[in-house]
PDB file of all heavy atoms in Angstrom:
ATOM      1  N   PRO A 167      89.752 -30.427  -6.810  1.00 86.00           N
ATOM      2  CA  PRO A 167      89.866 -31.888  -6.890  1.00 86.00           C
ATOM      3  C   PRO A 167      90.454 -32.370  -8.227  1.00 86.00           C
ATOM      4  O   PRO A 167      89.983 -31.873  -9.315  1.00 86.00           O
ATOM      5  CB  PRO A 167      88.428 -32.375  -6.761  1.00 86.00           C
ATOM      6  CG  PRO A 167      87.621 -31.139  -6.394  1.00 86.00           C
ATOM      7  CD  PRO A 167      88.377 -29.994  -6.935  1.00 86.00           C
ATOM      8  N   VAL A 168      91.435 -33.210  -8.179  1.00 90.00           N
ATOM      9  CA  VAL A 168      91.989 -33.849  -9.380  1.00 90.00           C
ATOM     10  C   VAL A 168      92.083 -35.352  -9.092  1.00 90.00           C
ATOM     11  O   VAL A 168      92.587 -35.764  -8.063  1.00 90.00           O
ATOM     12  CB  VAL A 168      93.423 -33.275  -9.655  1.00 90.00           C
ATOM     13  CG1 VAL A 168      93.984 -33.930 -10.904  1.00 90.00           C
ATOM     14  CG2 VAL A 168      93.395 -31.778  -9.792  1.00 90.00           C
ATOM     15  N   ALA A 169      91.640 -36.155 -10.061  1.00 83.00           N
ATOM     16  CA  ALA A 169      91.599 -37.584  -9.786  1.00 83.00           C
ATOM     17  C   ALA A 169      91.529 -38.404 -11.053  1.00 83.00           C
ATOM     18  O   ALA A 169      91.253 -37.892 -12.128  1.00 83.00           O
ATOM     19  CB  ALA A 169      90.454 -37.908  -8.859  1.00 83.00           C
ATOM     20  N   GLY A 170      91.832 -39.665 -10.889  1.00 88.00           N
ATOM     21  CA  GLY A 170      91.686 -40.637 -11.973  1.00 88.00           C
ATOM     22  C   GLY A 170      90.968 -41.864 -11.496  1.00 88.00           C
ATOM     23  O   GLY A 170      90.763 -42.059 -10.253  1.00 88.00           O
ATOM     24  N   MET A 171      90.500 -42.673 -12.393  1.00 91.00           N
ATOM     25  CA  MET A 171      89.794 -43.896 -12.031  1.00 91.00           C
ATOM     26  C   MET A 171      90.002 -44.948 -13.079  1.00 91.00           C
ATOM     27  O   MET A 171      90.004 -44.673 -14.294  1.00 91.00           O
ATOM     28  CB  MET A 171      88.288 -43.604 -11.872  1.00 91.00           C
ATOM     29  CG  MET A 171      87.461 -44.823 -11.570  1.00 91.00           C
ATOM     30  SD  MET A 171      85.718 -44.415 -11.305  1.00 91.00           S
ATOM     31  CE  MET A 171      85.809 -43.520  -9.763  1.00 91.00           C
ATOM     32  N   VAL A 172      90.133 -46.192 -12.634  1.00 93.00           N
ATOM     33  CA  VAL A 172      90.129 -47.339 -13.533  1.00 93.00           C
ATOM     34  C   VAL A 172      88.804 -48.052 -13.394  1.00 93.00           C
ATOM     35  O   VAL A 172      88.338 -48.303 -12.273  1.00 93.00           O
ATOM     36  CB  VAL A 172      91.317 -48.291 -13.170  1.00 93.00           C
ATOM     37  CG1 VAL A 172      91.230 -49.549 -14.059  1.00 93.00           C
ATOM     38  CG2 VAL A 172      92.644 -47.615 -13.346  1.00 93.00           C
ATOM     39  N   ARG A 173      88.220 -48.395 -14.550  1.00 92.00           N
ATOM     40  CA  ARG A 173      86.868 -49.110 -14.567  1.00 92.00           C
ATOM     41  C   ARG A 173      86.993 -50.423 -15.258  1.00 92.00           C
ATOM     42  O   ARG A 173      87.711 -50.533 -16.282  1.00 92.00           O
ATOM     43  CB  ARG A 173      85.868 -48.227 -15.267  1.00 92.00           C
ATOM     44  CG  ARG A 173      85.582 -46.892 -14.605  1.00 92.00           C
ATOM     45  CD  ARG A 173      84.652 -46.056 -15.495  1.00 92.00           C
ATOM     46  NE  ARG A 173      84.402 -44.735 -14.947  1.00 92.00           N
ATOM     47  CZ  ARG A 173      83.444 -44.396 -14.095  1.00 92.00           C
ATOM     48  NH1 ARG A 173      82.594 -45.374 -13.730  1.00 92.00           N
ATOM     49  NH2 ARG A 173      83.267 -43.213 -13.676  1.00 92.00           N
ATOM     50  N   LEU A 174      86.335 -51.390 -14.721  1.00 92.00           N
ATOM     51  CA  LEU A 174      86.238 -52.735 -15.348  1.00 92.00           C
ATOM     52  C   LEU A 174      84.778 -52.964 -15.672  1.00 92.00           C
ATOM     53  O   LEU A 174      83.884 -52.762 -14.866  1.00 92.00           O
ATOM     54  CB  LEU A 174      86.763 -53.793 -14.381  1.00 92.00           C
ATOM     55  CG  LEU A 174      86.518 -55.238 -14.793  1.00 92.00           C
ATOM     56  CD1 LEU A 174      87.366 -55.581 -16.048  1.00 92.00           C
ATOM     57  CD2 LEU A 174      86.840 -56.203 -13.655  1.00 92.00           C
ATOM     58  N   ARG A 175      84.562 -53.418 -16.894  1.00 90.00           N
ATOM     59  CA  ARG A 175      83.160 -53.747 -17.295  1.00 90.00           C
ATOM     60  C   ARG A 175      83.201 -55.095 -18.068  1.00 90.00           C
ATOM     61  O   ARG A 175      83.943 -55.234 -19.003  1.00 90.00           O
ATOM     62  CB  ARG A 175      82.626 -52.663 -18.190  1.00 90.00           C
ATOM     63  CG  ARG A 175      81.257 -52.934 -18.769  1.00 90.00           C
ATOM     64  CD  ARG A 175      80.877 -51.942 -19.841  1.00 90.00           C
ATOM     65  NE  ARG A 175      79.649 -52.231 -20.432  1.00 90.00           N
ATOM     66  CZ  ARG A 175      79.192 -51.682 -21.582  1.00 90.00           C
ATOM     67  NH1 ARG A 175      79.901 -50.755 -22.170  1.00 90.00           N
ATOM     68  NH2 ARG A 175      78.035 -52.008 -22.110  1.00 90.00           N
ATOM     69  N   THR A 176      82.408 -56.027 -17.628  1.00 91.00           N
ATOM     70  CA  THR A 176      82.403 -57.344 -18.277  1.00 91.00           C
ATOM     71  C   THR A 176      80.984 -57.917 -18.217  1.00 91.00           C
ATOM     72  O   THR A 176      80.156 -57.608 -17.412  1.00 91.00           O
ATOM     73  CB  THR A 176      83.401 -58.321 -17.575  1.00 91.00           C
ATOM     74  OG1 THR A 176      83.440 -59.529 -18.302  1.00 91.00           O
ATOM     75  CG2 THR A 176      82.926 -58.635 -16.151  1.00 91.00           C
ATOM     76  N   THR A 177      80.745 -58.800 -19.201  1.00 90.00           N
ATOM     77  CA  THR A 177      79.445 -59.517 -19.249  1.00 90.00           C
ATOM     78  C   THR A 177      79.711 -60.979 -19.258  1.00 90.00           C
ATOM     79  O   THR A 177      80.624 -61.483 -19.933  1.00 90.00           O
ATOM     80  CB  THR A 177      78.685 -59.119 -20.586  1.00 90.00           C
ATOM     81  OG1 THR A 177      78.491 -57.703 -20.620  1.00 90.00           O
ATOM     82  CG2 THR A 177      77.337 -59.816 -20.624  1.00 90.00           C
ATOM     83  N   PHE A 178      78.855 -61.730 -18.523  1.00 93.00           N
ATOM     84  CA  PHE A 178      79.034 -63.201 -18.472  1.00 93.00           C
ATOM     85  C   PHE A 178      78.609 -63.782 -19.827  1.00 93.00           C
ATOM     86  O   PHE A 178      77.660 -63.337 -20.468  1.00 93.00           O
ATOM     87  CB  PHE A 178      78.150 -63.806 -17.376  1.00 93.00           C
ATOM     88  CG  PHE A 178      78.563 -63.318 -16.003  1.00 93.00           C
ATOM     89  CD1 PHE A 178      77.713 -62.504 -15.277  1.00 93.00           C
ATOM     90  CD2 PHE A 178      79.766 -63.707 -15.454  1.00 93.00           C
ATOM     91  CE1 PHE A 178      78.050 -62.061 -14.010  1.00 93.00           C
ATOM     92  CE2 PHE A 178      80.135 -63.283 -14.196  1.00 93.00           C
ATOM     93  CZ  PHE A 178      79.264 -62.465 -13.464  1.00 93.00           C
ATOM     94  N   PRO A 179      79.368 -64.805 -20.322  1.00 91.00           N
ATOM     95  CA  PRO A 179      79.127 -65.371 -21.650  1.00 91.00           C
ATOM     96  C   PRO A 179      77.628 -65.837 -21.774  1.00 91.00           C
ATOM     97  O   PRO A 179      77.072 -66.392 -20.866  1.00 91.00           O
ATOM     98  CB  PRO A 179      80.075 -66.554 -21.711  1.00 91.00           C
ATOM     99  CG  PRO A 179      81.172 -66.178 -20.793  1.00 91.00           C
ATOM    100  CD  PRO A 179      80.520 -65.427 -19.664  1.00 91.00           C
ATOM    101  N   ALA A 180      77.072 -65.576 -22.982  1.00 90.00           N
ATOM    102  CA  ALA A 180      75.701 -66.012 -23.321  1.00 90.00           C
ATOM    103  C   ALA A 180      74.728 -65.558 -22.245  1.00 90.00           C
ATOM    104  O   ALA A 180      73.811 -66.283 -21.854  1.00 90.00           O
ATOM    105  CB  ALA A 180      75.661 -67.549 -23.443  1.00 90.00           C
ATOM    106  N   SER A 181      74.869 -64.355 -21.739  1.00 93.00           N
ATOM    107  CA  SER A 181      74.049 -63.818 -20.711  1.00 93.00           C
ATOM    108  C   SER A 181      73.903 -62.337 -20.829  1.00 93.00           C
ATOM    109  O   SER A 181      74.750 -61.656 -21.410  1.00 93.00           O
ATOM    110  CB  SER A 181      74.658 -64.180 -19.335  1.00 93.00           C
ATOM    111  OG  SER A 181      73.983 -63.524 -18.279  1.00 93.00           O
ATOM    112  N   LYS A 182      72.850 -61.794 -20.255  1.00 94.00           N
ATOM    113  CA  LYS A 182      72.666 -60.366 -20.182  1.00 94.00           C
ATOM    114  C   LYS A 182      73.139 -59.781 -18.851  1.00 94.00           C
ATOM    115  O   LYS A 182      72.966 -58.611 -18.549  1.00 94.00           O
ATOM    116  CB  LYS A 182      71.203 -59.979 -20.388  1.00 94.00           C
ATOM    117  CG  LYS A 182      70.719 -60.350 -21.821  1.00 94.00           C
ATOM    118  CD  LYS A 182      69.263 -59.978 -21.978  1.00 94.00           C
ATOM    119  CE  LYS A 182      68.770 -60.321 -23.377  1.00 94.00           C
ATOM    120  NZ  LYS A 182      67.370 -59.948 -23.630  1.00 94.00           N
ATOM    121  N   LEU A 183      73.727 -60.667 -18.038  1.00 96.00           N
ATOM    122  CA  LEU A 183      74.236 -60.245 -16.700  1.00 96.00           C
ATOM    123  C   LEU A 183      75.708 -59.863 -16.781  1.00 96.00           C
ATOM    124  O   LEU A 183      76.464 -60.440 -17.620  1.00 96.00           O
ATOM    125  CB  LEU A 183      74.075 -61.396 -15.697  1.00 96.00           C
ATOM    126  CG  LEU A 183      72.645 -61.870 -15.466  1.00 96.00           C
ATOM    127  CD1 LEU A 183      72.625 -63.065 -14.524  1.00 96.00           C
ATOM    128  CD2 LEU A 183      71.745 -60.745 -14.997  1.00 96.00           C
ATOM    129  N   GLY A 184      76.113 -58.960 -16.012  1.00 94.00           N
ATOM    130  CA  GLY A 184      77.488 -58.496 -16.012  1.00 94.00           C
ATOM    131  C   GLY A 184      77.961 -57.876 -14.687  1.00 94.00           C
ATOM    132  O   GLY A 184      77.156 -57.839 -13.709  1.00 94.00           O
TER     133      GLY A 184
END
Side-chain angles (χ1 to χ4, degrees):
V168 180
M171 178 178 290
V172 175
R173 297 174 184 270
L174 171 68
R175 176 189 176 193
T176 185
T177 302
F178 297 112
S181 171
K182 296 181 180 181
L183 301 177

